[in-house]
Amino acid sequence: MTLKLAGRTAFITGGANGIGLGIARALAGAGVKLALADIDGDALEIARAELLPLAAIETFVLDVRDREEFARAAKDVEDRLGPVTLLFNNAGVAGGAPVSRLSYELWDWGVDINLHGVFNGIRTFLPRMLELGEGGYIVNTSSGAGLVAGAGAGVLYQSTKFAVVGLSEALAIELADEDIGVSVLCPGPVATNIIERTRALQPSVTRSMTREQLEAARAKSGHMKSFLAGGASPDAVGRHVLEAMSERRLYVHTDPALASLVEERARAIIEAMPTQMLI
């Protein structure tokens, strides 16, 4: 069925920065009421001031790890803007460390935000969508790094982003008979400040690092910042997401750079399969 956006209410985590804000701008132009959730209260105020002339908007300071806060936000959104039928589980972090230095604390922090935060959004809003019976859409933000492993992204980041892809694929199957679409956004580089914001939030791994290790980490961070700076604009990604929703595309990509690597990975998986079932 064709999904009409105008008049619906969207809940966007990580909505005050980067891709989330790009999606919010695109939705505002489509006549959607906006509920922006972000851990950054100052950025929320700036986003609200920008978007208020364009759309009805409410903002919520929210840590996506906090399920009770999710529930409170959902109730407040319904009271102020109406029921949420467009859900964008976009909040995420890019943190990590070499696996030899990957502490339990850092692992739990990254998994709680990048994976559990997505499920928390689904668990909070999907039952309401189903009960309402007016259809809807869920977009989960993963990454190109959730499709193929590569140097630089790290075990923590790639594990969580691969998981979001699998979660989204399974969710699409379960909702196939419902009028609720599912897409998983797997962007390549996008010009955001996610590296800086992640570094400001993540548990420290630098206290016991040698000077050489610190210099290597800083060089890697600088390379990643430059890599992202040359990527797509958040606004272009936001418009592209809405186009993908209109076509009910499960996978949403922002560039073709990983195509050959994804094909190589798929071929390796298939070639590793036995020719007949083991007995």
Side-chain angles (χ1 to χ4, degrees), residues 25-58:
R25 288 169 176 152
L27 290 170
V32 175
K33 294 175 284 186
L34 302 174
L36 304 189
D38 204 293
I39 201 169
D40 187 340
D42 292 339
L44 280 171
E45 291 184 12
I46 295 170
R48 178 185 176 85
E50 174 193 337
L51 295 169
L52 189 57
L54 306 175
I57 181 171
E58 297 290 342

PDB file of all heavy atoms in Angstrom, residues 25-58:
ATOM      1  N   ARG A  25      14.269  17.123   8.598  1.00  0.00           N
ATOM      2  CA  ARG A  25      14.033  18.198   7.622  1.00  0.00           C
ATOM      3  C   ARG A  25      13.213  17.688   6.440  1.00  0.00           C
ATOM      4  O   ARG A  25      12.299  18.367   5.967  1.00  0.00           O
ATOM      5  CB  ARG A  25      15.371  18.754   7.141  1.00  0.00           C
ATOM      6  CG  ARG A  25      16.106  19.588   8.189  1.00  0.00           C
ATOM      7  CD  ARG A  25      17.524  19.883   7.751  1.00  0.00           C
ATOM      8  NE  ARG A  25      18.221  20.762   8.685  1.00  0.00           N
ATOM      9  CZ  ARG A  25      19.536  20.773   8.877  1.00  0.00           C
ATOM     10  NH1 ARG A  25      20.313  19.929   8.180  1.00  0.00           N
ATOM     11  NH2 ARG A  25      20.085  21.590   9.743  1.00  0.00           N
ATOM     12  N   ALA A  26      13.541  16.497   5.954  1.00  0.00           N
ATOM     13  CA  ALA A  26      12.788  15.931   4.839  1.00  0.00           C
ATOM     14  C   ALA A  26      11.339  15.665   5.236  1.00  0.00           C
ATOM     15  O   ALA A  26      10.404  15.939   4.469  1.00  0.00           O
ATOM     16  CB  ALA A  26      13.454  14.645   4.349  1.00  0.00           C
ATOM     17  N   LEU A  27      11.133  15.146   6.432  1.00  0.00           N
ATOM     18  CA  LEU A  27       9.776  14.862   6.907  1.00  0.00           C
ATOM     19  C   LEU A  27       8.975  16.138   7.092  1.00  0.00           C
ATOM     20  O   LEU A  27       7.772  16.180   6.784  1.00  0.00           O
ATOM     21  CB  LEU A  27       9.846  14.090   8.225  1.00  0.00           C
ATOM     22  CG  LEU A  27      10.350  12.646   8.146  1.00  0.00           C
ATOM     23  CD1 LEU A  27      10.594  12.099   9.544  1.00  0.00           C
ATOM     24  CD2 LEU A  27       9.357  11.760   7.402  1.00  0.00           C
ATOM     25  N   ALA A  28       9.616  17.182   7.605  1.00  0.00           N
ATOM     26  CA  ALA A  28       8.917  18.455   7.779  1.00  0.00           C
ATOM     27  C   ALA A  28       8.392  18.961   6.441  1.00  0.00           C
ATOM     28  O   ALA A  28       7.264  19.471   6.346  1.00  0.00           O
ATOM     29  CB  ALA A  28       9.854  19.489   8.409  1.00  0.00           C
ATOM     30  N   GLY A  29       9.200  18.806   5.403  1.00  0.00           N
ATOM     31  CA  GLY A  29       8.772  19.222   4.078  1.00  0.00           C
ATOM     32  C   GLY A  29       7.629  18.392   3.525  1.00  0.00           C
ATOM     33  O   GLY A  29       6.931  18.821   2.601  1.00  0.00           O
ATOM     34  N   ALA A  30       7.417  17.195   4.099  1.00  0.00           N
ATOM     35  CA  ALA A  30       6.345  16.310   3.652  1.00  0.00           C
ATOM     36  C   ALA A  30       5.094  16.438   4.513  1.00  0.00           C
ATOM     37  O   ALA A  30       4.152  15.643   4.364  1.00  0.00           O
ATOM     38  CB  ALA A  30       6.835  14.858   3.653  1.00  0.00           C
ATOM     39  N   GLY A  31       5.085  17.398   5.421  1.00  0.00           N
ATOM     40  CA  GLY A  31       3.896  17.623   6.237  1.00  0.00           C
ATOM     41  C   GLY A  31       3.759  16.709   7.436  1.00  0.00           C
ATOM     42  O   GLY A  31       2.651  16.499   7.952  1.00  0.00           O
ATOM     43  N   VAL A  32       4.870  16.182   7.937  1.00  0.00           N
ATOM     44  CA  VAL A  32       4.866  15.265   9.073  1.00  0.00           C
ATOM     45  C   VAL A  32       5.102  16.036  10.370  1.00  0.00           C
ATOM     46  O   VAL A  32       5.926  16.949  10.420  1.00  0.00           O
ATOM     47  CB  VAL A  32       5.942  14.174   8.893  1.00  0.00           C
ATOM     48  CG1 VAL A  32       6.042  13.285  10.122  1.00  0.00           C
ATOM     49  CG2 VAL A  32       5.637  13.344   7.646  1.00  0.00           C
ATOM     50  N   LYS A  33       4.399  15.648  11.423  1.00  0.00           N
ATOM     51  CA  LYS A  33       4.635  16.200  12.752  1.00  0.00           C
ATOM     52  C   LYS A  33       5.844  15.491  13.360  1.00  0.00           C
ATOM     53  O   LYS A  33       5.987  14.269  13.224  1.00  0.00           O
ATOM     54  CB  LYS A  33       3.400  16.016  13.634  1.00  0.00           C
ATOM     55  CG  LYS A  33       2.189  16.807  13.158  1.00  0.00           C
ATOM     56  CD  LYS A  33       0.958  16.516  13.985  1.00  0.00           C
ATOM     57  CE  LYS A  33       0.356  15.169  13.624  1.00  0.00           C
ATOM     58  NZ  LYS A  33      -0.933  14.930  14.336  1.00  0.00           N
ATOM     59  N   LEU A  34       6.698  16.243  14.052  1.00  0.00           N
ATOM     60  CA  LEU A  34       8.003  15.729  14.455  1.00  0.00           C
ATOM     61  C   LEU A  34       8.158  15.635  15.967  1.00  0.00           C
ATOM     62  O   LEU A  34       7.881  16.595  16.689  1.00  0.00           O
ATOM     63  CB  LEU A  34       9.114  16.639  13.916  1.00  0.00           C
ATOM     64  CG  LEU A  34       9.166  16.851  12.410  1.00  0.00           C
ATOM     65  CD1 LEU A  34      10.233  17.881  12.071  1.00  0.00           C
ATOM     66  CD2 LEU A  34       9.430  15.531  11.692  1.00  0.00           C
ATOM     67  N   ALA A  35       8.635  14.492  16.409  1.00  0.00           N
ATOM     68  CA  ALA A  35       9.100  14.316  17.781  1.00  0.00           C
ATOM     69  C   ALA A  35      10.569  13.945  17.698  1.00  0.00           C
ATOM     70  O   ALA A  35      10.921  12.855  17.243  1.00  0.00           O
ATOM     71  CB  ALA A  35       8.311  13.218  18.495  1.00  0.00           C
ATOM     72  N   LEU A  36      11.438  14.868  18.084  1.00  0.00           N
ATOM     73  CA  LEU A  36      12.879  14.641  18.014  1.00  0.00           C
ATOM     74  C   LEU A  36      13.392  14.265  19.392  1.00  0.00           C
ATOM     75  O   LEU A  36      13.149  14.973  20.375  1.00  0.00           O
ATOM     76  CB  LEU A  36      13.613  15.897  17.536  1.00  0.00           C
ATOM     77  CG  LEU A  36      13.193  16.516  16.205  1.00  0.00           C
ATOM     78  CD1 LEU A  36      14.171  17.613  15.809  1.00  0.00           C
ATOM     79  CD2 LEU A  36      13.082  15.466  15.115  1.00  0.00           C
ATOM     80  N   ALA A  37      14.114  13.164  19.458  1.00  0.00           N
ATOM     81  CA  ALA A  37      14.715  12.711  20.703  1.00  0.00           C
ATOM     82  C   ALA A  37      16.226  12.666  20.528  1.00  0.00           C
ATOM     83  O   ALA A  37      16.727  12.178  19.513  1.00  0.00           O
ATOM     84  CB  ALA A  37      14.192  11.326  21.084  1.00  0.00           C
ATOM     85  N   ASP A  38      16.942  13.169  21.513  1.00  0.00           N
ATOM     86  CA  ASP A  38      18.398  13.197  21.430  1.00  0.00           C
ATOM     87  C   ASP A  38      18.938  13.361  22.836  1.00  0.00           C
ATOM     88  O   ASP A  38      18.265  13.915  23.720  1.00  0.00           O
ATOM     89  CB  ASP A  38      18.864  14.356  20.542  1.00  0.00           C
ATOM     90  CG  ASP A  38      20.240  14.124  19.941  1.00  0.00           C
ATOM     91  OD1 ASP A  38      21.228  14.104  20.706  1.00  0.00           O
ATOM     92  OD2 ASP A  38      20.330  13.954  18.712  1.00  0.00           O
ATOM     93  N   ILE A  39      20.148  12.900  23.062  1.00  0.00           N
ATOM     94  CA  ILE A  39      20.786  13.086  24.357  1.00  0.00           C
ATOM     95  C   ILE A  39      21.347  14.487  24.514  1.00  0.00           C
ATOM     96  O   ILE A  39      21.658  14.933  25.624  1.00  0.00           O
ATOM     97  CB  ILE A  39      21.888  12.017  24.564  1.00  0.00           C
ATOM     98  CG1 ILE A  39      22.196  11.846  26.064  1.00  0.00           C
ATOM     99  CG2 ILE A  39      23.133  12.346  23.745  1.00  0.00           C
ATOM    100  CD1 ILE A  39      23.065  10.660  26.373  1.00  0.00           C
ATOM    101  N   ASP A  40      21.471  15.209  23.408  1.00  0.00           N
ATOM    102  CA  ASP A  40      22.067  16.543  23.374  1.00  0.00           C
ATOM    103  C   ASP A  40      20.963  17.601  23.445  1.00  0.00           C
ATOM    104  O   ASP A  40      20.346  17.953  22.447  1.00  0.00           O
ATOM    105  CB  ASP A  40      22.879  16.700  22.087  1.00  0.00           C
ATOM    106  CG  ASP A  40      23.682  17.992  22.033  1.00  0.00           C
ATOM    107  OD1 ASP A  40      23.346  18.937  22.768  1.00  0.00           O
ATOM    108  OD2 ASP A  40      24.647  18.052  21.236  1.00  0.00           O
ATOM    109  N   GLY A  41      20.708  18.114  24.651  1.00  0.00           N
ATOM    110  CA  GLY A  41      19.646  19.083  24.845  1.00  0.00           C
ATOM    111  C   GLY A  41      19.864  20.386  24.100  1.00  0.00           C
ATOM    112  O   GLY A  41      18.910  20.976  23.573  1.00  0.00           O
ATOM    113  N   ASP A  42      21.104  20.863  24.053  1.00  0.00           N
ATOM    114  CA  ASP A  42      21.389  22.111  23.339  1.00  0.00           C
ATOM    115  C   ASP A  42      21.094  21.970  21.846  1.00  0.00           C
ATOM    116  O   ASP A  42      20.516  22.877  21.233  1.00  0.00           O
ATOM    117  CB  ASP A  42      22.846  22.518  23.545  1.00  0.00           C
ATOM    118  CG  ASP A  42      23.146  22.936  24.974  1.00  0.00           C
ATOM    119  OD1 ASP A  42      22.190  23.291  25.698  1.00  0.00           O
ATOM    120  OD2 ASP A  42      24.327  22.900  25.369  1.00  0.00           O
ATOM    121  N   ALA A  43      21.500  20.848  21.271  1.00  0.00           N
ATOM    122  CA  ALA A  43      21.237  20.621  19.844  1.00  0.00           C
ATOM    123  C   ALA A  43      19.738  20.509  19.579  1.00  0.00           C
ATOM    124  O   ALA A  43      19.255  20.944  18.523  1.00  0.00           O
ATOM    125  CB  ALA A  43      21.954  19.360  19.371  1.00  0.00           C
ATOM    126  N   LEU A  44      18.995  19.943  20.520  1.00  0.00           N
ATOM    127  CA  LEU A  44      17.550  19.862  20.364  1.00  0.00           C
ATOM    128  C   LEU A  44      16.918  21.245  20.290  1.00  0.00           C
ATOM    129  O   LEU A  44      16.002  21.486  19.483  1.00  0.00           O
ATOM    130  CB  LEU A  44      16.935  19.078  21.526  1.00  0.00           C
ATOM    131  CG  LEU A  44      17.009  17.550  21.450  1.00  0.00           C
ATOM    132  CD1 LEU A  44      16.559  16.944  22.768  1.00  0.00           C
ATOM    133  CD2 LEU A  44      16.159  17.012  20.308  1.00  0.00           C
ATOM    134  N   GLU A  45      17.388  22.151  21.118  1.00  0.00           N
ATOM    135  CA  GLU A  45      16.845  23.513  21.098  1.00  0.00           C
ATOM    136  C   GLU A  45      17.106  24.191  19.750  1.00  0.00           C
ATOM    137  O   GLU A  45      16.237  24.885  19.204  1.00  0.00           O
ATOM    138  CB  GLU A  45      17.452  24.337  22.228  1.00  0.00           C
ATOM    139  CG  GLU A  45      16.999  23.904  23.612  1.00  0.00           C
ATOM    140  CD  GLU A  45      17.533  24.808  24.707  1.00  0.00           C
ATOM    141  OE1 GLU A  45      18.063  25.890  24.375  1.00  0.00           O
ATOM    142  OE2 GLU A  45      17.417  24.449  25.890  1.00  0.00           O
ATOM    143  N   ILE A  46      18.300  23.986  19.209  1.00  0.00           N
ATOM    144  CA  ILE A  46      18.641  24.568  17.912  1.00  0.00           C
ATOM    145  C   ILE A  46      17.773  23.958  16.804  1.00  0.00           C
ATOM    146  O   ILE A  46      17.245  24.665  15.934  1.00  0.00           O
ATOM    147  CB  ILE A  46      20.130  24.357  17.608  1.00  0.00           C
ATOM    148  CG1 ILE A  46      20.988  25.139  18.618  1.00  0.00           C
ATOM    149  CG2 ILE A  46      20.467  24.787  16.182  1.00  0.00           C
ATOM    150  CD1 ILE A  46      22.466  24.813  18.552  1.00  0.00           C
ATOM    151  N   ALA A  47      17.609  22.637  16.838  1.00  0.00           N
ATOM    152  CA  ALA A  47      16.793  21.964  15.831  1.00  0.00           C
ATOM    153  C   ALA A  47      15.335  22.406  15.926  1.00  0.00           C
ATOM    154  O   ALA A  47      14.670  22.621  14.903  1.00  0.00           O
ATOM    155  CB  ALA A  47      16.900  20.450  15.995  1.00  0.00           C
ATOM    156  N   ARG A  48      14.847  22.541  17.142  1.00  0.00           N
ATOM    157  CA  ARG A  48      13.467  22.984  17.331  1.00  0.00           C
ATOM    158  C   ARG A  48      13.249  24.374  16.729  1.00  0.00           C
ATOM    159  O   ARG A  48      12.262  24.614  16.026  1.00  0.00           O
ATOM    160  CB  ARG A  48      13.115  22.986  18.815  1.00  0.00           C
ATOM    161  CG  ARG A  48      11.701  23.478  19.122  1.00  0.00           C
ATOM    162  CD  ARG A  48      11.454  23.560  20.626  1.00  0.00           C
ATOM    163  NE  ARG A  48      10.154  24.107  20.904  1.00  0.00           N
ATOM    164  CZ  ARG A  48       9.025  23.406  20.951  1.00  0.00           C
ATOM    165  NH1 ARG A  48       9.063  22.105  20.733  1.00  0.00           N
ATOM    166  NH2 ARG A  48       7.869  23.985  21.206  1.00  0.00           N
ATOM    167  N   ALA A  49      14.175  25.284  17.005  1.00  0.00           N
ATOM    168  CA  ALA A  49      14.050  26.644  16.478  1.00  0.00           C
ATOM    169  C   ALA A  49      14.051  26.649  14.956  1.00  0.00           C
ATOM    170  O   ALA A  49      13.322  27.427  14.322  1.00  0.00           O
ATOM    171  CB  ALA A  49      15.179  27.508  17.019  1.00  0.00           C
ATOM    172  N   GLU A  50      14.865  25.782  14.355  1.00  0.00           N
ATOM    173  CA  GLU A  50      14.922  25.721  12.896  1.00  0.00           C
ATOM    174  C   GLU A  50      13.639  25.160  12.293  1.00  0.00           C
ATOM    175  O   GLU A  50      13.132  25.676  11.286  1.00  0.00           O
ATOM    176  CB  GLU A  50      16.097  24.838  12.461  1.00  0.00           C
ATOM    177  CG  GLU A  50      16.147  24.600  10.957  1.00  0.00           C
ATOM    178  CD  GLU A  50      17.111  23.494  10.552  1.00  0.00           C
ATOM    179  OE1 GLU A  50      18.050  23.199  11.313  1.00  0.00           O
ATOM    180  OE2 GLU A  50      16.913  22.920   9.458  1.00  0.00           O
ATOM    181  N   LEU A  51      13.091  24.100  12.896  1.00  0.00           N
ATOM    182  CA  LEU A  51      12.004  23.361  12.277  1.00  0.00           C
ATOM    183  C   LEU A  51      10.617  23.847  12.673  1.00  0.00           C
ATOM    184  O   LEU A  51       9.632  23.526  11.997  1.00  0.00           O
ATOM    185  CB  LEU A  51      12.138  21.871  12.611  1.00  0.00           C
ATOM    186  CG  LEU A  51      13.382  21.190  12.019  1.00  0.00           C
ATOM    187  CD1 LEU A  51      13.567  19.805  12.615  1.00  0.00           C
ATOM    188  CD2 LEU A  51      13.278  21.108  10.508  1.00  0.00           C
ATOM    189  N   LEU A  52      10.519  24.602  13.751  1.00  0.00           N
ATOM    190  CA  LEU A  52       9.214  25.045  14.233  1.00  0.00           C
ATOM    191  C   LEU A  52       8.410  25.818  13.189  1.00  0.00           C
ATOM    192  O   LEU A  52       7.185  25.644  13.111  1.00  0.00           O
ATOM    193  CB  LEU A  52       9.389  25.886  15.503  1.00  0.00           C
ATOM    194  CG  LEU A  52       8.102  26.259  16.250  1.00  0.00           C
ATOM    195  CD1 LEU A  52       7.314  25.005  16.631  1.00  0.00           C
ATOM    196  CD2 LEU A  52       8.432  27.078  17.490  1.00  0.00           C
ATOM    197  N   PRO A  53       9.041  26.649  12.343  1.00  0.00           N
ATOM    198  CA  PRO A  53       8.239  27.318  11.305  1.00  0.00           C
ATOM    199  C   PRO A  53       7.715  26.370  10.223  1.00  0.00           C
ATOM    200  O   PRO A  53       6.833  26.753   9.441  1.00  0.00           O
ATOM    201  CB  PRO A  53       9.227  28.329  10.699  1.00  0.00           C
ATOM    202  CG  PRO A  53      10.295  28.502  11.731  1.00  0.00           C
ATOM    203  CD  PRO A  53      10.423  27.170  12.387  1.00  0.00           C
ATOM    204  N   LEU A  54       8.260  25.147  10.175  1.00  0.00           N
ATOM    205  CA  LEU A  54       7.931  24.226   9.092  1.00  0.00           C
ATOM    206  C   LEU A  54       6.983  23.110   9.508  1.00  0.00           C
ATOM    207  O   LEU A  54       6.291  22.537   8.656  1.00  0.00           O
ATOM    208  CB  LEU A  54       9.218  23.587   8.545  1.00  0.00           C
ATOM    209  CG  LEU A  54      10.314  24.548   8.096  1.00  0.00           C
ATOM    210  CD1 LEU A  54      11.558  23.767   7.699  1.00  0.00           C
ATOM    211  CD2 LEU A  54       9.822  25.414   6.943  1.00  0.00           C
ATOM    212  N   ALA A  55       6.962  22.775  10.808  1.00  0.00           N
ATOM    213  CA  ALA A  55       6.182  21.617  11.242  1.00  0.00           C
ATOM    214  C   ALA A  55       5.878  21.713  12.727  1.00  0.00           C
ATOM    215  O   ALA A  55       6.612  22.357  13.486  1.00  0.00           O
ATOM    216  CB  ALA A  55       6.968  20.325  10.958  1.00  0.00           C
ATOM    217  N   ALA A  56       4.796  21.044  13.142  1.00  0.00           N
ATOM    218  CA  ALA A  56       4.556  20.867  14.572  1.00  0.00           C
ATOM    219  C   ALA A  56       5.685  20.010  15.125  1.00  0.00           C
ATOM    220  O   ALA A  56       6.032  18.977  14.539  1.00  0.00           O
ATOM    221  CB  ALA A  56       3.212  20.192  14.796  1.00  0.00           C
ATOM    222  N   ILE A  57       6.269  20.423  16.227  1.00  0.00           N
ATOM    223  CA  ILE A  57       7.456  19.727  16.723  1.00  0.00           C
ATOM    224  C   ILE A  57       7.492  19.712  18.246  1.00  0.00           C
ATOM    225  O   ILE A  57       7.133  20.691  18.901  1.00  0.00           O
ATOM    226  CB  ILE A  57       8.753  20.372  16.159  1.00  0.00           C
ATOM    227  CG1 ILE A  57       9.987  19.622  16.652  1.00  0.00           C
ATOM    228  CG2 ILE A  57       8.823  21.843  16.481  1.00  0.00           C
ATOM    229  CD1 ILE A  57      11.276  20.060  15.970  1.00  0.00           C
ATOM    230  N   GLU A  58       7.905  18.584  18.801  1.00  0.00           N
ATOM    231  CA  GLU A  58       8.207  18.443  20.218  1.00  0.00           C
ATOM    232  C   GLU A  58       9.581  17.791  20.327  1.00  0.00           C
ATOM    233  O   GLU A  58       9.981  17.007  19.458  1.00  0.00           O
ATOM    234  CB  GLU A  58       7.172  17.573  20.927  1.00  0.00           C
ATOM    235  CG  GLU A  58       5.758  18.140  20.917  1.00  0.00           C
ATOM    236  CD  GLU A  58       5.608  19.364  21.802  1.00  0.00           C
ATOM    237  OE1 GLU A  58       6.475  19.574  22.683  1.00  0.00           O
ATOM    238  OE2 GLU A  58       4.618  20.103  21.627  1.00  0.00           O
TER     239      GLU A  58
END
